[in-house]
Amino acid sequence: MDKPADALQRLRRVHEDAAVAVLRSAGALSRAELTQRTGLSRTTLFSIISELIERDAVVEVEALPAEPRGRGRPAALIALNPSAGLLIGLDVGRRRVRLAIANVAHEIIATGMADIPAGADAPAQAEAAVRLVRRVGEEHGIRLGALEAIGLGLVGIVDDPSLPAGTVPARHAPVARRLAEEFGVRVAVDNNARLAALAESTWGAARSVGDLVYVRWSVGVGGGFVVGGRLLRGAHGAAGEIGHVSLDPEGPPCHCGGRGCLERRIGSQALLEVCAARGIALTGLDALVAAAQDRVPGVCEVISAAAADLGRILADTVVQLDPERVVVGGEFASLGSLVLDPIRQAIDGLALPKIGRRIGVTPADLGVNASAMGAIALLLNEEPAIPGHLRP
Ligand SMILES: [Zn+2]
């Protein structure tokens, strides 16, 4: 039998761990918010926070004067000590790799980007990622000795989120293993569109939204669902692949093996072909978006019709998942109402009108670094591995 004092000490540690875990996934919070989220009593929570502050495990930060609500000073916020650990997020795409570096207090302290040569294989992608981390680290004077873990976003189906060195399967292996070996830390992996969804719900357009449908409309069409505050991965790592919902079983073949996929209809290549057939020659995605911004005759019609197709699929998704918000990312989202209005109309007109009218459809907030930031959010949302020096 434990002595009562030991049991009390253990209970206190459980409470401490709960408070640290909440700060890790949510970022800076007021004492009141932290009390509510941990479910601890005010007295217990305040006593634990005082002790964590004494041990330098957490710090008090000044609250941003977000909105002038009444009088008096804004309550100070509590955050994990930024020097307690660094996290790296990498987004390895087909043509470039993007990097974000953050501390455990949710502050993004550096970002960077490097091109990957066309047709590069996985080992070449891994080298590009390693070089980018080293270069940005040096440029910002960041000591990678404090690195705790790396989150890695990849293209395609990612069904094994945690890849400790030596157990890495399939095609993710070279990139994940190389990073784990180079930096001597754990590497967590997920699909990069899903990670962008997680980032938008952590820092972006759907901050604090527990139920979110995110779609990224670009060269391809990807997506991610956050359900009850957690990223939905699916049994086979394919949750959120909105682009491969079939609109037409007799339609053109898709690289996924299906036919008539949404991506084959509204991905940038398909839209460029439609424009070309109408005598509008454009060189690629950027030119297509620029032409729509310039209101080139014909282009806007092609894109808004594509947005209506996307809207119909999103409306189906909304009926099934009942999210609080739909967030549209990718280059096409920068066209604003041209793409958002047809999507809103499709959702407003769905079979459950009471729900449809209450769902906000908003453009994504985080831009090109969303997936790299989502890779960091993936690490922050994991079951907490309390950094060693948080312990006295
Ligand atoms: Zn497909």
Side-chain angles (χ1 to χ4, degrees):
M1 274 287 277
D2 285 338
K3 287 183 229 151
D6 290 344
L8 275 178
Q9 185 64 24
R10 262 213 318 281
L11 183 62
R12 195 175 172 82
R13 288 221 162 160
V14 169
H15 290 159
E16 256 181 42
D17 288 355
V20 169
V22 168
L23 288 171
R24 192 178 158 90
S25 67
L29 293 173
S30 69
R31 283 177 170 81
E33 288 168 320
L34 198 50
T35 305
Q36 196 202 357
R37 292 209 192 193
T38 54
L40 297 174
S41 77
R42 204 179 126 89
T43 316
T44 305
L45 193 272
F46 277 46
S47 146
I48 280 172
I49 293 302
S50 302
E51 199 182 309
L52 287 170
I53 288 175
E54 247 169 59
R55 275 161 39 201
D56 269 344
V58 307
V59 292
E60 269 186 306
V61 293
E62 216 167 294
L64 291 174
E67 50 221 63
R69 272 182 303 188
R71 284 156 287 166
R73 277 188 315 137
L77 300 182
I78 306 297
L80 292 185
N81 188 337
S83 63
L86 286 180
L87 301 164
I88 280 181
L90 282 161
D91 169 22
V92 178
R94 290 193 178 89
R95 290 175 302 164
R96 51 186 64 106
V97 51
R98 294 186 187 276
L99 163 72
I101 305 178
N103 59 38
V104 289
H106 281 217
E107 294 159 339
I108 303 289
I109 53 178
T111 58
M113 189 273 279
D115 287 321
I116 298 174
D121 59 5
Q125 292 176 338
E127 286 316 309
V130 167
R131 277 199 305 275
L132 177 63
V133 172
R134 294 278 179 215
R135 171 168 67 76
V136 171
E138 258 168 47
E139 283 170 4
H140 289 78
I142 294 167
R143 286 175 39 245
L144 294 174
L147 184 61
E148 199 184 292
I150 294 174
L152 173 62
L154 295 169
V155 176
I157 292 172
V158 176
D159 59 359
D160 189 347
S162 183
L163 302 173
T167 63
V168 198
R171 63 193 177 80
H172 314 311
V175 185
R177 189 188 299 129
R178 178 78 178 86
L179 289 166
E181 283 168 3
E182 176 75 18
F183 298 104
V185 293
R186 188 168 55 86
V187 178
V189 186
D190 211 322
N191 167 275
N192 48 13
R194 269 205 299 263
L195 291 177
L198 187 59
E200 293 292 344
S201 81
T202 306
W203 286 290
R207 187 163 192 260
S208 304
V209 169
D211 293 276
L212 162 72
V213 166
Y214 168 86
V215 61
R216 179 157 67 187
W217 185 11
S218 177
V219 175
V221 180
F225 308 140
V226 174
V227 178
R230 301 189 80 92
L231 187 63
L232 192 69
R233 181 171 284 116
H236 313 96
E241 291 287 1
I242 294 173
H244 298 286
V245 173
S246 177
L247 297 167
D248 175 10
E250 309 296 320
C254 175
H255 64 84
C256 75
R259 276 187 174 273
C261 291
L262 177 66
E263 182 170 304
R264 286 291 279 116
R265 175 131 12 140
I266 72 161
S268 62
Q269 192 54 41
L271 298 186
L272 288 166
E273 284 163 18
V274 175
C275 287
R278 296 181 180 195
I280 310 162
L282 296 164
T283 49
L285 171 60
D286 293 345
L288 179 60
V289 172
Q293 272 158 353
D294 294 342
R295 298 290 183 259
V296 172
V299 174
C300 292
E301 289 73 13
V302 168
I303 291 177
S304 69
D309 285 335
L310 175 58
R312 277 192 291 281
I313 299 298
L314 287 173
D316 288 350
T317 309
V318 161
V319 168
Q320 293 164 51
L321 286 181
D322 184 19
E324 190 177 336
R325 195 166 304 173
V326 173
V327 173
V328 185
E331 286 84 346
F332 288 101
S334 67
L335 295 171
S337 60
L338 179 69
V339 303
L340 296 178
D341 284 353
I343 294 171
R344 284 190 187 114
Q345 280 161 17
I347 291 173
D348 281 355
L350 57 74
L352 294 170
K354 277 190 186 154
I355 294 177
R357 287 193 210 106
R358 287 162 63 176
I359 294 172
V361 177
T362 50
D365 245 8
L366 298 175
V368 294
N369 290 319
S371 294
M373 291 172 70
I376 289 169
L378 179 70
L379 301 171
L380 290 167
N381 280 297
E382 285 178 330
E383 293 305 312
I386 311 287
H389 75 273
L390 287 185
R391 291 280 174 230

